[in-house]
Amino acid sequence: MTKLKTMRIRKKMLLREIAAVVNTTPQTVQQMEKRGIWKPKTALRYAKALNCRWQDLLEEPESVK
């Protein structure tokens, strides 16, 4: 589960509530939940909707072995 979806569930928010603040569609939010957030600019937009730090939403790259 991505950090975005985890945070949305923790905050008890609906996809459409976040979409309204981010000015996008619930389907786009759902896609972001599947892929995860990798760009700080995108994380900042979603962090405002979720009232959290943008760093809390960024996915961490897997370690290279």
Side-chain angles (χ1 to χ4, degrees):
M1 187 178 313
T2 62
K3 292 182 178 184
L4 175 59
K5 186 168 186 174
T6 302
M7 186 65 73
R8 180 179 65 82
I9 291 169
R10 187 179 304 148
K11 300 280 184 167
K12 298 180 177 150
M13 292 183 74
L14 300 173
L15 290 170
R16 67 175 174 248
E17 293 172 325
I18 295 172
V21 177
V22 178
N23 196 27
T24 190
T25 65
Q27 292 82 5
T28 300
V29 177
Q30 187 176 37
Q31 285 299 313
M32 292 304 296
E33 285 187 350
K34 287 182 183 177
R35 291 185 295 214
I37 297 176
W38 297 92
K39 297 179 181 179
K41 186 176 180 179
T42 305
L44 184 60
R45 292 176 57 212
Y46 281 88
K48 288 179 184 176
L50 290 162
N51 195 26
C52 67
R53 297 177 335 134
W54 64 270
Q55 296 93 333
D56 296 336
L57 298 176
L58 282 179
E59 296 297 326
E60 296 176 17
E62 296 180 24
S63 4
V64 179
K65 294 183 179 180

